[in-house]
Amino acid sequence: MLALQYHRSIPAYALVRATGGHPSVATSDLSMLDLGDVPEPRPPGPGWMRVRPSVSGICGSDTAAITGHASLYLDPLTSYPFVPGHEIVGQLDDGTRVVVEPALGCRVRGLTPPCRHCAEGRIGLCENVTEGAVAVGLQTGYCASTGGGWGEVLVAHQSQLHAVPDRLPDEAAVLLEPFACCVHAALRGGASQGDVVVVQGAGTIGLLTVAAVRLFTPPRRLVVVAKYPFQREQAKRLGGDLIVGPDEVFQRVRFATQARRLDGLDRPLLLGGADVTFECTGSARGLNDAVRFTRSGGRLVVVGMPGEEKVDWGPIWQRELNVTGAYAYGTEMTGERTFDLAIAAAPDLALDNLTGPLFRLGDYRDAITYALQAGRLNAVKVAFDLRDLRA
Amino acid sequence: MGRPGAVIEVDRNTPPTLFHHGEGVRLERLPLGSRIVYAPDPMEPVAHPERAIRRALGHPLEDDPLRSLLRSGMKLTVAFDDLSLPLPPMAQPDVRQLVLEEVVEMAAEAGVEDVHLVAANSLHRRMTEDEIRHIVGDRIFSTFYPDQLYNHDAEDPEGNILIGRTSHGEEVTLSRRAIESDLVIYVNLTFVPMDGGHKSLATGLGSYRSVRAHHTAETLLNSRSYMHPPDSALHQSCIRQGQLIEDTVRCFHIETSVNNHSFPAVANFMQKRETDWTPADQASFLAIKQLTDLAPPGVKRAVFHSMRAPYGLTSVQAGQVDAVHDSTLDTVRRQMLVEVEGQTDIVTMGIPYVGPYNVNAILNPVLVVCMGLGYLFNLYRGKPVLRQGGVLIMAHPCRYEFDSVQHPSYIDFYDEVLADTRDPVDIEKKYEQCFAEDPWYRQLYRKSNAYHGVHPFYAWYWAAHALQHVGDVIVVGGQRAAVHHLGFKCASTLEDALEMAEQTVGRYPSITHLRLPPLFLADVK
Amino acid sequence: MKFELLSDIRAVRDGWRWGGIRPASWPEAGPAVPARASNLDWARQEPVRTLRWLIQRGLSAPFARAVTSLRVEGAEWLRDQKRPAILAANHVSHADTVVLLAALPDRAREQTVVGAAADYWYQRPMLGRLVGLWLNTFPFARTGGAQAVLHSSSQLLKSGWNLLIYAEGTRSIDGRLGKFLPGVGHLANETRSPVVPVHVQGTHRVMPKGRRYFLPAPVEVRFGKPLEARNGEGSRAFAQRVEDAVRALGDGSADREVMGTWIDRWRAAAPRTSRR
């Protein structure tokens, strides 16, 4: 079958990093990516089914891995070679439209009793990711045994599959996985009605976090930091109260929270500030700003995947900030599965507005280059369209 | 006395007209048949200011000579106007310095130990040391600063006391120091007819509680205009407050007026009418135009704000406030009044680089509105020069630039409030309280040199009457995004602006250009 | 912004008809700005001030110091002035002013105006303008009109200018100190400014009365402790006191009334700790 594979190659990795992750090098023949004919993945046991992807999204974590910017922490948690792509809406053999929940927890791996996290329903934090029916991997799309979204066929355990309602088109359903991550983040953030919430960054994760916060934990005031005009429009539509640019974030947050502002040599800081901040850029600049405009004792939820970023820990220490990561999804405290919450909320959000150009798998070089500059090019989610691969 | 004010009609021989363009100058050709209104020539100043001051203090109007009011052991407070006037700032020695030195001399002779000199800056910003020194002079500064010479703090909870309510229910507060004094002397400079009289003490040493009684959108809509006190609801309210103050504290007012010699010799071409320009003036104009076209903004600002005007003292009177102020206003009107026959469809004006609220700072877009649609529009008596529904064309670069030290609340006003609504009544209802009570603005007002948090609102209300009166406002040479944010139209040249205006007022409109500064008061028949 | 010099010049040329006659339709020209006595204006405004700073700092002060091998005593009295002062000096030659200005500390020099005899220096307008530009002079009428002179001098002091005046009224012929005119006293009483006695010695060899060129010769300048008029002291009495002080400086006396105690001088010469 035709698939795009990611190989573990130290020289290729070194080359890509040396060029700073430039797209033309990172997607070239000398990189870790290879498009070709590979054997189909076989279902490792009963309860596993074949899925043919229709639309597969390109996520920030994928582009980080391709351009060598991902944290090396994730290397031991991955098995090579793997087919990337974990934002998958596809068809089963019998024609049912499904979306894949990529986390490979104890249930998927066929392990009993489940580890403590899987028992709580936090399958993203599974401790048994090295055991079981499939190879090492946190998710489908980082595992050598399962295949992934950027190929013709992949295999998934039935617990990973969710039916997609008819009124949700493929272009909207491909955003269900990131939306679920953001719903999980919003619930972890736990903003209350009197809070001022800042969502920093308005890419896919930022915009979906805005929607999730508005729906599940509506605050007193929702401030969104968005760089590009298309992002600003979407942020307003999805429920942001106040949309500001990255250069004015301190001034506008100061006004919204009636805080005091002190100007330092490198950056300002607020005495007071936002109650809950969702950091959705994963960049050093965003993190350093966020630790200074979140109020002392406030909560900083890191949603966007960061790499090895240089962050000043002084503010975190002095302001006694609660810095917490929000990764993946599972079963929330209310007992509902995150994906079910996402699927229920998605149809009203017109998410297909956010899905930008669709590329064929053969044009993966253009697709990845486009995804790396999505904001500037007025796009949010760039994806592969694999429907024409099905004969 | 020079020539009175004149209204000239533009014909083929008329030279081009000078337009101020913020920190810059331009020559524009107005269409044939337009009128240009010029201020009267500056009056001859008093030959011996110190003698005139001493005479006024020795023979006050409806009050006892100042010398007899001063005695050893009394508590004396001397309040004086801050640097929002005159504009441009006066060359040394400032008239207030001359008056204060005479007053302090008398106090020294009488043996008054407890003297405080307070800058009556109300909700304006605190002045820096250099600015205070410029007004009071080296001698007073080195003697009294900083314990006995300081800015009034309107947000000091202990220092401002409610003294009562007027018959209309307006609250009146006054600084504690003034209430506890045996005599309060006010040294005023009446630059335009809006200043002086009861307004001096009522606002100068008041606080937000007392000022908000009359600085409302409603009051300012009913002040047509506030440059002519009899027609001004603002002044009626100040008079009521002032009368209550008179009943509470013993006051002695000293008011001065100056002529309109507003520019130093190097910038004479800004003072003179275009038909009077000598070759030296023309050369001066060309040099300054090149400088302002090519120099970076910081340099231009420094050059313009360093200009000092050689004003001459035209009158000084002292005593009871009503009698004194009537006399002062007579002189001011004699200097400023110009007779203008009838209203026009279009009024054009160049907005200068400085207004009362940005001395040594930038004229930000909100202040452009305050100057153009506020102060300059309201310099009329009777009817505005512009007819109802007419078009006002202003020239100013109108850049999105704010002084972060002096105008922090202006930035938020522009970004947050104007993005929502531009109607003064709406703005007052929704946002004024939030800005007035913001603790950070309060801190910056009290400790730094920032205008009070509520001040941008007053700047906007100042334009309320004009916003209701005009049909359209076009800004020539402004930055498009900022001009649209203010709710106005933008044109690159004056010709384009006049063509755009025809959409509103019809073809072949009548045009009047107000050639100011130097300032004048249009008496429209 | 744009470079529009040529189109601006064209606009001005056409608008004001260079080389043509004044159109009849232009209203009658008026003085427009009040003609003030020319003792306060142009020489003390920009750009003349900057030009003078360049000339004095760069040219005339270093030159004067070199030609006269200048020695200065007592400059610390003028280093940190709180208020403008009247500098009362003896007058021996035309070189006095340049030398005295060179002797002053920089900040004091930039704020100093020199009283120059109106009937001598201002008779010819170009000469008047030249000394006005270079030395920051203003016309000081020696005869009649004392009130006007007093008034303009006090205006200058009130505007923050130090005033250097030659209180004898004319140059000394034999080098001995003449009688001081009482004007100094009147001025000090009117404005309550301190008076700094100044003595300059040796300029009668540099450029004596009658010779029009200068020759190098050593010069010494001494500044004394600033004097303030005592309560009730009359102008004449005060002027006499100033004259005595200048004479004492010239005699080289170390009288503490004149030179100040060493403690005063020590404090005056202290390093600056903060801006005034």
Side-chain angles (χ1 to χ4, degrees):
Chain A
M1 67 155 193
L2 184 67
L4 192 55
Q5 269 196 335
Y6 187 106
H7 297 266
R8 188 169 195 269
S9 157
I10 306 288
Y13 185 80
L15 177 64
V16 169
R17 271 208 80 118
T19 57
H22 196 271
S24 48
V25 176
T27 57
S28 68
D29 294 331
L30 299 173
S31 70
M32 290 79 82
L33 283 180
D34 185 43
L35 179 68
D37 198 26
V38 298
E40 266 188 36
R42 283 176 326 138
W48 284 81
M49 316 176 64
R50 279 158 36 118
V51 180
R52 289 181 195 281
S54 312
V55 179
S56 288
I58 302 177
C59 174
S61 55
D62 301 319
T63 53
I66 292 168
T67 57
H69 286 136
S71 168
L72 291 173
Y73 161 80
L74 297 166
D75 175 59
L77 298 166
T78 319
S79 51
Y80 302 89
F82 63 86
V83 176
H86 53 272
E87 300 169 350
I88 309 160
V89 56
Q91 265 186 6
L92 296 178
D93 286 332
D94 63 7
T96 326
R97 279 175 67 220
V98 288
V99 65
V100 177
E101 187 175 337
L104 300 169
C106 291
R107 178 131 182 244
V108 169
R109 294 173 178 279
L111 300 168
T112 50
C115 68
R116 57 180 159 172
H117 298 299
C118 288
E120 281 180 346
R122 299 174 78 172
I123 52 176
L125 307 178
C126 178
E127 284 176 345
N128 288 329
V129 291
T130 49
E131 319 293 323
V134 292
V136 174
L138 287 172
Q139 300 184 342
T140 303
Y142 292 99
C143 176
S145 325
T146 57
W150 300 359
E152 276 186 64
V153 178
L154 66 124
V155 292
H157 189 263
Q158 59 197 26
S159 66
Q160 288 182 285
L161 299 172
H162 298 261
V164 175
D166 285 333
R167 58 197 182 111
L168 205 60
D170 284 343
E171 285 81 355
V174 72
L175 285 169
L176 282 173
E177 193 270 346
F179 188 40
C181 293
C182 298
V183 169
H184 177 69
L187 293 171
R188 264 182 84 67
S192 54
Q193 272 198 336
D195 284 345
V196 173
V197 170
V198 177
V199 173
Q200 180 156 62
T204 310
I205 294 293
L207 290 172
L208 292 173
T209 307
V210 170
V213 168
R214 175 60 60 194
L215 279 173
F216 292 95
T217 60
R220 176 162 62 91
R221 210 145 163 78
L222 181 48
V223 181
V224 186
V225 184
K227 209 162 161 184
Y228 300 103
F230 181 70
Q231 294 176 339
R232 298 169 79 105
E233 273 172 47
Q234 294 300 320
K236 194 92 196 168
R237 180 177 78 80
L238 291 167
D241 288 320
L242 185 63
I243 323 293
V244 308
D247 290 327
E248 4 163 47
V249 64
F250 279 96
Q251 185 203 318
R252 306 299 287 273
V253 172
R254 186 220 76 78
F255 182 78
T257 56
Q258 302 233 313
R260 284 192 180 80
R261 173 182 164 164
L262 299 174
D263 285 303
L265 283 174
D266 54 347
R267 279 183 166 78
L269 67 96
L270 295 186
L271 292 172
D275 298 290
V276 183
T277 301
F278 292 90
E279 213 302 308
C280 301
T281 64
S283 68
R285 183 191 169 167
L287 286 161
N288 277 311
D289 280 346
V291 298
R292 285 154 182 263
F293 64 67
T294 311
R295 70 164 169 82
S296 300
R299 192 169 311 125
L300 174 58
V301 183
V302 184
V303 193
M305 178 180 98
E308 188 166 324
E309 307 293 336
K310 184 165 173 191
V311 178
D312 184 353
W313 282 76
I316 298 174
W317 161 75
Q318 196 277 321
R319 294 160 85 87
E320 294 194 353
L321 290 180
N322 298 305
V323 179
T324 180
Y327 170 65
Y329 27 70
T331 305
E332 300 298 333
M333 308 254 279
T334 54
E336 294 154 290
R337 290 177 78 184
T338 327
F339 257 78
D340 292 332
L341 292 171
I343 293 174
D348 296 321
L349 293 175
L351 291 178
D352 43 319
N353 285 334
L354 301 178
T355 306
L358 296 177
F359 289 85
R360 291 172 44 236
L361 204 53
D363 298 325
Y364 75 94
R365 301 193 66 178
D366 292 334
I368 291 168
T369 311
Y370 209 102
L372 283 166
Q373 300 176 32
R376 209 172 316 141
L377 294 169
N378 284 324
V380 178
K381 171 61 63 183
V382 180
F384 286 112
D385 187 347
L386 299 138
R387 288 173 287 211
D388 60 344
L389 285 179
R390 286 199 285 265
Chain B
M1 173 81 189
R3 299 165 292 184
V7 181
I8 310 282
E9 196 169 300
V10 173
D11 61 21
R12 286 181 211 291
N13 287 332
T14 312
T17 315
L18 178 74
F19 269 60
H20 281 264
H21 186 73
E23 285 149 1
V25 287
R26 284 187 175 186
L27 282 182
E28 304 277 8
R29 281 213 172 266
L30 290 161
L32 298 181
S34 318
R35 301 186 302 182
I36 309 180
V37 184
Y38 287 105
D41 285 340
M43 284 165 67
E44 270 301 312
V46 166
H48 289 275
E50 285 92 344
R51 274 205 227 147
I53 295 169
R54 268 180 240 135
R55 202 177 318 129
L57 296 179
H59 300 91
L61 303 172
E62 295 184 23
D63 208 335
D64 303 318
L66 182 57
R67 217 176 282 266
S68 67
L69 298 173
L70 298 169
R71 61 183 185 283
S72 166
M74 76 184 300
K75 230 177 159 148
L76 176 65
T77 300
V78 184
F80 56 92
D81 280 335
D82 71 351
L83 55 38
S84 10
L85 41 83
L87 301 166
M90 185 167 172
Q92 281 196 310
D94 193 290
V95 285
R96 285 162 290 197
Q97 172 181 340
L98 299 176
V99 175
L100 283 170
E101 287 187 348
E102 294 300 327
V103 170
V104 169
E105 182 67 39
M106 282 189 187
E109 278 174 23
V112 181
E113 296 257 331
D114 191 351
V115 174
H116 280 210
L117 289 95
V118 186
N121 50 279
S122 179
L123 300 178
H124 297 174
R125 65 176 173 90
R126 287 160 23 103
M127 291 191 280
T128 64
E129 280 185 26
D130 284 330
E131 289 165 347
I132 299 181
R133 185 185 286 124
H134 182 84
I135 294 182
V136 302
D138 286 311
R139 195 173 160 204
I140 291 187
F141 188 85
S142 59
T143 313
F144 291 103
Y145 189 81
D147 297 313
Q148 290 165 286
L149 170 60
Y150 50 85
N151 294 285
H152 173 59
D153 184 351
E155 281 286 337
D156 183 355
E158 309 298 316
N160 289 284
I161 308 204
L162 178 72
I163 59 177
R165 283 188 171 70
T166 67
S167 55
H168 283 59
E170 296 135 337
E171 292 184 317
V172 183
T173 69
L174 202 63
S175 86
R176 173 186 290 274
R177 168 79 201 181
I179 292 174
E180 292 172 354
S181 299
D182 298 305
L183 178 65
V184 175
I185 300 179
Y186 197 98
V187 176
N188 149 281
L189 198 168
T190 301
F191 187 58
V192 289
M194 187 182 87
D195 310 321
H198 283 286
K199 186 168 172 289
S200 300
L201 278 174
T203 52
L205 292 181
S207 67
Y208 176 58
R209 267 179 101 175
S210 51
V211 168
R212 73 177 173 194
H214 42 67
H215 277 51
T216 64
E218 176 82 26
T219 312
L220 288 160
L221 269 171
N222 289 329
S223 299
R224 295 157 191 258
S225 75
Y226 45 76
M227 288 294 177
H228 188 234
D231 291 336
S232 161
L234 170 69
H235 286 84
Q236 306 306 326
S237 177
C238 288
I239 290 173
R240 287 191 287 271
Q241 292 186 328
Q243 281 163 347
L244 185 57
I245 293 176
E246 291 264 302
D247 294 336
T248 314
V249 186
R250 178 69 166 95
C251 307
F252 187 88
H253 283 248
I254 307 173
E255 296 198 346
T256 60
S257 64
V258 294
N259 62 11
N260 64 2
H261 190 176
S262 305
F263 294 103
V266 69
N268 249 345
F269 66 92
M270 292 186 189
Q271 175 78 29
K272 289 170 151 182
R273 304 181 189 178
E274 285 79 9
T275 47
D276 293 338
W277 280 14
T278 62
D281 294 321
Q282 295 167 36
S284 201
F285 164 78
L286 285 169
I288 295 206
K289 172 138 198 312
Q290 300 320 306
L291 170 77
T292 55
D293 280 349
L294 300 170
V299 171
K300 276 195 285 197
R301 194 158 303 132
V303 167
F304 271 81
H305 283 275
S306 69
M307 280 210 285
R308 297 277 174 266
Y311 294 111
L313 176 73
T314 51
S315 80
V316 53
Q317 37 275 333
Q320 202 277 330
V321 60
D322 295 302
V324 163
H325 197 51
D326 286 337
S327 171
T328 314
L329 284 181
D330 276 339
T331 317
V332 172
R333 279 193 273 259
R334 232 181 326 134
Q335 169 69 85
M336 286 184 77
L337 271 181
V338 181
E339 273 192 24
V340 177
E341 287 283 332
Q343 300 179 305
T344 50
D345 299 311
I346 297 181
V347 161
T348 60
M349 54 169 80
I351 309 290
Y353 67 96
V354 72
Y357 309 129
N358 74 311
V359 179
N360 297 326
I362 306 163
L363 193 72
N364 60 55
V366 179
L367 288 176
V368 171
V369 172
C370 181
M371 270 306 268
L373 286 122
Y375 284 104
L376 301 182
F377 177 87
N378 279 282
L379 279 170
Y380 71 85
R381 180 165 90 163
K383 293 181 288 193
V385 181
L386 184 63
R387 67 162 172 85
Q388 174 94 32
V391 174
L392 180 68
I393 299 181
M394 318 193 288
H396 193 277
C398 205
R399 274 187 288 264
Y400 179 82
E401 266 184 309
F402 290 81
D403 188 308
S404 55
V405 172
Q406 289 193 21
H407 302 126
S409 54
Y410 277 77
I411 310 179
D412 286 321
F413 179 84
Y414 180 93
D415 281 336
E416 306 270 350
V417 178
L418 289 183
D420 182 22
T421 169
R422 296 181 199 111
D423 175 40
V425 178
D426 235 0
I427 288 176
E428 183 177 358
K429 215 180 340 181
K430 282 165 113 173
Y431 294 102
E432 186 181 314
Q433 187 171 11
C434 160
F435 273 68
E437 292 174 358
D438 189 305
W440 190 62
Y441 297 146
R442 182 176 293 149
Q443 185 177 314
L444 290 179
Y445 164 78
R446 295 191 69 186
K447 300 284 187 300
S448 172
N449 299 98
Y451 280 85
H452 193 274
V454 78
H455 203 264
F457 290 78
Y458 297 158
W460 198 261
Y461 302 159
W462 239 236
H465 168 36
L467 284 171
Q468 198 195 55
H469 184 92
V470 307
D472 225 343
V473 179
I474 305 178
V475 179
V476 175
Q479 193 185 61
R480 202 159 284 268
V483 173
H484 289 165
H485 193 92
L486 295 171
F488 306 145
K489 299 205 173 95
C490 187
S492 323
T493 65
L494 182 64
E495 290 77 24
D496 289 341
L498 290 169
E499 219 175 279
M500 283 163 66
E502 288 180 1
Q503 303 277 349
T504 315
V505 293
R507 303 204 72 189
Y508 312 117
S510 52
I511 304 173
T512 303
H513 175 62
L514 304 178
R515 170 62 162 85
L516 31 71
L519 298 178
F520 56 82
L521 190 69
D523 198 3
V524 182
K525 300 278 183 279
Chain C
M1 257 207 78
K2 308 157 268 183
F3 184 65
E4 296 178 329
L5 178 60
L6 294 175
S7 57
D8 287 334
I9 293 180
R10 226 174 289 133
V12 174
R13 183 198 65 198
D14 295 336
W16 278 269
R17 290 151 205 287
W18 289 356
I21 62 168
R22 187 189 163 89
S25 62
W26 285 17
E28 189 194 309
V33 288
R36 279 172 119 188
S38 61
N39 53 8
L40 286 180
D41 278 356
W42 68 272
R44 274 152 284 285
Q45 292 186 5
E46 298 291 353
V48 179
R49 274 178 84 160
T50 312
L51 196 56
R52 179 184 313 123
W53 182 84
L54 284 168
I55 296 174
Q56 284 185 348
R57 194 89 183 268
L59 228 63
S60 76
F63 185 68
R65 280 189 218 118
V67 165
T68 60
S69 346
L70 185 62
R71 271 186 48 196
V72 182
E73 243 182 76
E76 55 266 13
W77 293 118
L78 288 161
R79 213 188 50 184
D80 279 316
Q81 290 178 280
K82 287 216 170 62
R83 293 164 28 195
I86 301 173
L87 305 167
N90 63 321
H91 201 13
V92 181
S93 100
H94 280 320
D96 285 340
T97 308
V98 184
V99 169
L100 279 172
L101 287 177
L104 286 171
D106 286 328
R107 196 175 274 185
R109 183 188 325 122
E110 285 157 26
Q111 286 294 115
T112 300
V113 179
V114 184
D119 53 316
Y120 188 95
W121 292 101
Y122 285 84
Q123 284 292 40
R124 283 156 291 170
M126 276 321 293
L127 187 59
R129 287 205 199 112
L130 182 65
V131 292
L133 164 67
W134 178 24
L135 302 171
N136 203 5
T137 56
F138 84 104
F140 204 79
R142 289 197 277 200
T143 56
Q147 275 302 317
V149 167
L150 191 59
H151 174 63
S152 53
S153 312
S154 76
Q155 289 290 88
L156 284 167
L157 282 163
K158 283 191 178 169
S159 315
W161 293 96
N162 292 323
L163 191 56
L164 170 61
I165 51 177
Y166 297 110
E168 290 160 281
T170 182
R171 284 173 294 167
S172 160
I173 302 179
D174 51 5
R176 286 203 319 196
L177 194 65
K179 189 120 187 67
F180 272 19
L181 299 174
V184 164
H186 285 309
L187 196 53
N189 267 331
E190 170 90 11
T191 58
R192 297 256 169 246
S193 303
V195 178
V196 177
V198 187
H199 191 272
V200 57
Q201 183 164 332
T203 44
H204 64 276
R205 277 195 297 265
V206 178
M207 197 162 160
K209 201 160 182 173
R211 200 164 72 190
R212 282 186 176 280
Y213 55 90
F214 62 88
L215 288 177
V219 170
E220 197 173 324
V221 172
R222 285 202 202 94
F223 296 97
K225 182 170 155 195
L227 299 165
E228 308 240 1
R230 299 201 192 102
N231 257 339
E233 190 175 17
S235 314
R236 284 187 193 277
F238 185 50
Q240 184 63 49
R241 204 151 58 91
V242 175
E243 184 193 323
D244 293 337
V246 176
R247 180 171 294 123
L249 280 175
D251 291 340
S253 95
D255 183 355
R256 56 181 31 197
E257 274 302 306
V258 172
M259 294 301 292
T261 62
W262 75 268
I263 297 174
D264 295 324
R265 275 181 286 131
W266 171 257
R267 293 223 179 95
R272 290 196 191 96
T273 46
S274 59
R275 283 188 46 193
R276 90 168 143 128

